[in-house]
Amino acid sequence: MSTGRPTSEERDVQLGLIGLGRMGGNMRDRVRAAGHEVVGYDPRPDVTDVPSLTDLAKALSAPRVVWVMVPSGEPTRSTVRSLADILEPGDLVIDGGNSRYTDDAPNAELLHAKGIGYVDCGVSGGIWGKDNGYGLMAGGAQEHIDLAMPIFDALRPEGPREEGFAHAGPVGAGHFSKMVHNGIEYGLMQAYAEGFELMEASPLVENVPAVIEAWSRGTVVRSWLLDLLVNALKEDPHLADLEGYVDDSGEGRWTIEEAIQHAVPLPVISAALFARFASRQDESPAMKAVAALRNQFGGHAVKKIGAGPSGAPGDHAGPSSGTGSTQG
């Protein structure tokens, strides 16, 4: 067990890093700061260290460790195919992007046929990872994990290795773990967001940002995500400058699909994903249907486009208005 940063007795290594965007560029800086040589490749001439993947391989000594940090799906798969033709037996490829875990076995098999190792590594930490370190979840053979451990140690946070790095299991386990991590993240963010909205809606709470900041220490809901919400509210106390549109990167959907496959109930994560879908609708066909049904069975008011609410007399009263309907 390691209890901190790598010691002077641990070997310095080279790393080839493909993809120098927000995450990849910061990772290059952090690994270099730990004393390792990083040779980066990116299609953009202003950020790349070498002009091609072939030149990247030539710049590294065997056994090469090459970390792929490009968008998931076909960009990653095509990069792995290219590396299979460029690298040599004994080299190692690490996919550190947000690939779906089902891509990992085919990637590993392709590389194994050429004598090249493969590790999938889920990476968490976002733009803050350069300074704070990244949480890492790796899948692969122990010999390949050991080869890349100096890089994992450079990227993870200060402190005990097990608090920032996990060898989760065989190939695929790293990305599966990251998928679940991101599903949990969906649920946590949604809970904080709903609490914020409820307090904003109540005239009783006059300083919502102060309340949320007061949760930062000592409470059972404190977390780094909460700290980030505090930061956002300091910049915009009512979030008035933002639209309520939230995209999803895929891991939430994949998590729910796996839950269905394994018959594991995920009501919170599912609701959080569906809330994101709802955020993208200017108009909700489903809620139009609900409004029409309420009008049909109970005579409840409906709001016509361009007009105020309409319906039978008394529709604007509360549940005890005497309409005779007990359904909602």
Side-chain angles (χ1 to χ4, degrees), residues 230-244:
V230 170
N231 290 346
L233 293 175
K234 285 181 178 179
E235 297 173 1
D236 185 358
H238 301 287
L239 304 182
D241 294 335
L242 299 178
E243 291 187 11

Side-chain angles (χ1 to χ4, degrees), residues 197-248:
E197 181 175 356
L198 180 57
M199 288 190 290
E200 281 279 287
S202 169
L204 193 62
V205 181
E206 296 179 345
N207 193 339
V208 174
V211 171
I212 292 178
E213 185 170 10
W215 294 347
S216 299
R217 292 181 180 270
T219 74
V220 296
V221 299
R222 66 189 185 275
S223 74
W224 185 50
L225 280 174
L226 183 67
D227 294 340
L228 295 178
L229 179 56
V230 170
N231 290 346
L233 293 175
K234 285 181 178 179
E235 297 173 1
D236 185 358
H238 301 287
L239 304 182
D241 294 335
L242 299 178
E243 291 187 11
Y245 181 102
V246 184
D247 214 335
D248 70 283

Side-chain angles (χ1 to χ4, degrees), residues 96-205:
N98 281 330
S99 295
R100 190 167 188 172
Y101 81 96
T102 50
D103 281 353
D104 291 319
N107 286 341
E109 290 170 5
L110 173 66
L111 293 169
H112 179 72
K114 302 291 185 74
I116 302 166
Y118 179 84
V119 167
D120 58 288
C121 186
V123 180
S124 179
I127 60 174
W128 302 83
K130 176 181 176 180
D131 296 323
N132 298 339
Y134 301 90
L136 306 172
M137 300 139 269
Q142 187 64 54
E143 62 181 294
H144 297 144
I145 298 296
D146 291 342
L147 178 61
M149 189 55 72
I151 300 302
F152 294 140
D153 276 338
L155 288 170
R156 67 176 174 82
E158 301 275 352
R161 179 182 289 163
E162 62 269 22
E163 294 182 4
F165 171 84
H167 182 188
V171 165
H175 281 145
F176 192 98
S177 300
K178 180 57 164 48
M179 174 189 71
V180 175
H181 165 283
N182 282 26
I184 293 170
E185 181 183 310
Y186 277 43
L188 290 173
M189 287 193 289
Q190 187 66 25
Y192 287 136
E194 291 176 7
F196 166 78
E197 181 175 356
L198 180 57
M199 288 190 290
E200 281 279 287
S202 169
L204 193 62
V205 181

